[in-house]
């Protein structure tokens, strides 16, 4: 025995859909440069009619560990694609990977060390922000998304649902937890669902260090307020969408630790819906009483019925720019 520490395997799970090839090469080159010594890469191509020879590209740029590529027969969408990938992972830990970011070389090594040192079940980090030309425009995600708040600990379930800060491409999670969270519901982005599950049943740790270069561009699925162009869009996507998510949580989560929290969130979801459709004094007060759940949302939605469409669109633009 030479005393060398045996490294637990990390499964990097990458979903792609018609990627920008230049950005993809930047990303997979950064994976290949990882300093951690026990990695596998599993890629799911979620575009059935994409005929690009990705095997050739990956073979050229991934030389330090094994990889495999699965070509999807139908388009699943990112959440279900990551769910399928999660089923295939056999490492001790899972790191989820987007197609257009860049990872710092020691990302996996740092995350593994920290998750093991702190006995956490999921860890995530801060991010540099880069533009379409790969220029760094911010050294922390909080500089472009001012309302971004990091939470730590074993009782952060409510924070995940209302103020989610866990970004999938920064996550390292115990594979056991990720598999127990399957199937991922299509109504959730996979990172929110995983964070909610660990927030309910385990421990989340945040690392105040930027370990990836996160690319923000107009094709990002997680672009703030994506698909919101008017108040009706907001109602369907944000108010009814939130209500549906709470219904799913009620069906899937049975922990006594979060029963009261889910009941409170259900009241919050119903109050938002009722007030938007009938902004009388009773519904106004019902929503106002629940402002502790998310003050910014409550104050915004209390004014929503009286807000001219043109002003609403202006606010959405300001929020997308990170000015509000």
């Amino acid at each position: 025995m030479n005393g060398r520490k045996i490294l637990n395997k990390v499964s990097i799970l990458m979903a792609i859909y018609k990627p920008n090839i230049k950005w993809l090469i930047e990303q997979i080159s950064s994976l290949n440069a990882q300093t951690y010594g026990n990695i596998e890469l599993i890629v799911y191509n979620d575009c059935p009619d994409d005929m690009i020879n990705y095997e050739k590209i990956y073979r050229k740029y991934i030389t330090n560990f094994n990889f495999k590529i699965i070509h999807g027969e139908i388009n699943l969408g990112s959440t279900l694609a990551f769910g399928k990938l999660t089923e295939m992972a056999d490492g001790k830990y899972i790191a989820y990977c987007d197609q257009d970011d860049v990872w710092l070389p020691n990302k996996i090594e740092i995350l593994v060390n920290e998750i093991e040192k702190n006995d956490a079940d999921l860890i995530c980090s801060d991010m540099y922000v880069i533009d379409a030309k790969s220029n760094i425009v911010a050294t922390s995600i909080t500089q472009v998304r001012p309302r971004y708040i990091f939470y730590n600990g074993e009782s952060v379930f409510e924070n995940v649902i209302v103020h989610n800060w866990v970004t999938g491409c920064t996550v390292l999670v115990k594979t056991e937890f990720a598999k127990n969270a399957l199937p991922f519901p299509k109504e959730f982005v996979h990172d929110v669902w995983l964070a909610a599950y660990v927030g309910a049943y385990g421990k989340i740790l945040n690392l105040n260090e930027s370990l990836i270069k996160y690319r923000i561009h107009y094709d990002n699925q997680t672009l703030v307020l994506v698909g919101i162009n008017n108040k009706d869009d907001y109602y369907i996507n944000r108010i009814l969408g939130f209500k549906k998510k709470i219904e799913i949580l009620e069906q899937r989560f049975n922990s006594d630790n979060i029963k009261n929290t889910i009941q409170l969130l259900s009241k919050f979801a119903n109050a938002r819906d009722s007030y938007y459709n009938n902004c009388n004094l009773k519904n106004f007060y019902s929503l106002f009483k629940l402002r502790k759940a998310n003050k910014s949302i409550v104050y915004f939605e209390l004014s929503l019925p009286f807000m001219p469409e043109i002003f609403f669109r202006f606010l959405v633009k300001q929020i997308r720019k990170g000015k509000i």
Side-chain angles (χ1 to χ4, degrees):
M1 297 293 290
N2 59 12
R4 179 181 295 178
K5 180 182 178 182
I6 298 175
L7 300 176
N8 289 309
K9 185 200 250 183
V10 174
S11 299
I12 300 177
L13 307 183
M14 185 179 200
I16 62 173
Y17 182 86
K18 295 183 178 179
N20 177 308
I21 299 300
K22 180 178 181 295
W23 294 348
L24 178 65
I25 290 171
E26 284 187 68
Q27 174 65 296
I28 62 177
S29 296
S30 75
L31 303 185
N32 195 58
Q34 289 298 300
T35 57
Y36 192 73
N38 192 1
I39 291 172
E40 69 169 350
L41 172 63
I42 310 175
V43 182
Y44 186 86
N45 183 358
D46 196 33
C47 184
D49 59 1
D50 186 348
M51 294 295 106
I52 292 175
N53 186 350
Y54 290 105
E55 189 81 26
K56 182 178 179 181
I57 296 172
Y58 279 79
R59 198 181 305 118
K60 180 177 180 180
Y61 293 98
I62 298 294
T63 58
N64 290 333
F65 47 81
N66 294 327
F67 71 88
K68 58 183 173 182
I69 301 175
I70 295 92
H71 196 91
E73 296 179 359
I74 60 171
N75 173 240
L76 296 176
S78 67
T79 294
L80 298 187
F82 277 118
K84 183 170 280 293
L85 284 165
T86 300
E87 293 174 7
M88 302 175 191
D90 64 359
K92 170 77 171 179
Y93 303 106
I94 288 174
Y96 293 93
C97 183
D98 292 341
Q99 66 188 23
D100 50 11
D101 302 321
V102 179
W103 289 10
L104 272 61
N106 55 357
K107 176 197 173 184
I108 295 297
E109 182 178 2
I110 289 174
L111 291 180
V112 171
N113 287 339
E114 291 296 324
I115 201 172
E116 292 182 347
K117 183 171 71 175
N118 293 279
D119 193 27
D121 302 299
L122 180 152
I123 185 172
C124 60
S125 74
D126 202 345
M127 304 167 271
Y128 292 101
V129 178
I130 57 175
D131 61 18
K133 295 182 179 180
S134 302
N135 298 312
I136 294 177
V137 296
T139 57
S140 168
I141 189 65
T142 60
Q143 293 171 6
V144 296
R145 294 183 181 165
R147 292 178 296 168
Y148 215 89
I149 301 172
F150 291 95
Y151 298 88
N152 276 297
E154 297 177 338
S155 303
V156 295
F157 173 77
E158 182 178 348
N159 302 113
V160 170
I161 302 304
V162 182
H163 307 274
N164 180 59
W165 71 97
V166 177
T167 305
C169 51
T170 73
V171 161
L172 187 78
V173 61
K174 288 181 178 175
T175 301
E176 173 189 4
F177 264 82
K179 287 183 181 290
N180 286 341
L182 292 169
F184 299 166
K186 66 182 186 302
E187 291 83 1
F188 282 79
V189 181
H190 71 284
D191 49 15
V192 179
W193 179 255
L194 277 169
Y197 186 86
V198 179
Y201 297 104
K203 178 181 177 182
I204 293 177
L205 178 68
N206 300 294
L207 192 61
N208 187 25
E209 182 177 352
S210 294
L211 295 179
I212 78 163
K213 297 175 183 178
Y214 178 65
R215 196 183 305 272
I216 291 184
H217 54 90
Y218 283 103
D219 292 330
N220 283 53
Q221 177 178 303
T222 53
L223 189 69
V224 176
L225 294 180
V226 64
I228 308 296
N229 299 305
N230 53 55
K231 290 197 285 185
D232 286 343
D233 289 341
Y234 182 90
Y235 172 68
I236 292 168
N237 286 280
R238 293 296 166 142
I239 297 178
L240 288 185
F242 182 80
K243 189 174 180 180
K244 177 62 177 175
K245 289 175 181 177
I246 301 305
E247 291 171 358
I248 292 170
L249 292 173
E250 289 176 316
Q251 295 164 9
R252 292 279 302 272
F253 286 28
N254 56 14
S255 169
D256 289 338
N257 296 335
I258 60 168
K259 187 180 297 183
N260 291 338
T261 300
I262 289 181
Q263 289 176 350
L264 175 64
L265 291 172
S266 180
K267 288 181 183 178
F268 181 47
N270 290 326
R272 294 171 69 188
D273 187 18
S274 297
Y275 179 72
Y276 184 89
N277 285 293
N278 187 3
C279 57
N280 58 33
L281 192 58
K282 177 184 176 183
N283 289 338
F284 180 99
Y285 183 60
S286 295
L287 181 55
F288 181 76
K289 282 196 304 182
L290 294 166
R291 64 193 182 279
K292 185 180 177 183
N294 190 315
K295 288 183 180 178
S296 60
I297 284 179
V298 168
Y299 294 150
F300 176 73
E301 291 182 6
L302 287 174
S303 66
L304 196 56
F306 311 102
M307 192 182 297
E309 278 285 355
I310 190 169
F311 184 66
F312 174 84
R313 291 172 186 169
F314 169 78
L315 285 180
V316 167
K317 287 180 182 178
Q318 297 301 109
I319 292 170
R320 283 178 177 163
K321 289 177 182 178
K323 305 233 173 139
I324 298 178

